[in-house]
Amino acid sequence: MRTEPTQRLIDTVAWVLIEQGRILCARPRGKDVFYIPGGKREGEESDLQTLLREIDEELSVALIPETVRHVGTYEADLPGGAAVVRMGCYTAEYAGIITPSSEIEEIAWFGYADRGLVPPVDQVLFDDLVARGLLPAVG
């Protein structure tokens, strides 16, 4: 009897910031793809702890913990199907000026038309935000 190999799970959290109908995305140094800012937990970190740390590390701003709200959790296969990415997404107010850190090469504000420039799990988020009226379907 043959068993299917189990897909590896990459468990991440992300910060959803939408301003003027566009969503904040970041391109890490050495990569050619933009992502919703965030990342993987370290050790036994909670989603909140991971989110606060990652956003401070990537964008040099402090999220205000009491304003953090869950938007949704999304999953998609990585290209090639070697792993599944699960991304818990949160909105939050912040203090400071968004500034790319040493690990982030570039930030950009994407509209739905830019959906093809982000990974599959981010595309699922974009689709849900449009369906819920939180991100315009044009632009």
Side-chain angles (χ1 to χ4, degrees):
M1 182 168 118
R2 201 172 141 226
T3 59
E4 293 297 315
T6 347
Q7 282 185 313
R8 184 171 58 103
L9 176 67
I10 301 170
D11 189 23
T12 66
V13 297
W15 181 37
V16 175
L17 180 61
I18 299 171
E19 292 184 357
Q20 299 176 354
R22 300 180 89 61
I23 188 167
L24 179 65
C25 293
R27 184 173 61 80
R29 219 167 270 301
K31 305 259 181 166
D32 59 359
V33 175
F34 282 86
Y35 299 87
I36 302 298
K40 295 182 254 183
R41 71 186 82 247
E42 292 180 356
E44 297 297 314
E45 281 181 328
S46 67
D47 279 10
L48 178 61
Q49 291 167 326
T50 304
L51 187 68
L52 298 176
R53 177 184 51 76
E54 284 286 346
I55 298 310
D56 177 52
E57 287 175 4
E58 291 184 359
L59 301 173
S60 307
V61 294
L63 298 185
I64 301 168
E66 56 273 14
T67 68
V68 173
R69 301 288 177 268
H70 187 247
V71 173
T73 299
Y74 307 92
E75 288 189 4
D77 288 344
L78 279 179
V84 172
V85 177
R86 176 185 300 144
M87 184 170 71
C89 295
Y90 298 86
T91 59
E93 295 176 25
Y94 65 98
I97 297 169
I98 295 173
T99 307
S101 71
S102 60
E103 64 185 66
I104 299 297
E105 183 78 31
E106 178 182 9
I107 60 171
W109 293 91
F110 282 5
Y112 189 69
D114 302 306
R115 178 185 180 277
L117 302 175
V118 297
V121 72
D122 295 34
Q123 291 178 15
V124 175
L125 167 66
F126 275 46
D127 293 344
D128 185 54
L129 293 173
V130 167
R132 292 165 58 184
L134 301 172
L135 185 67
V138 293

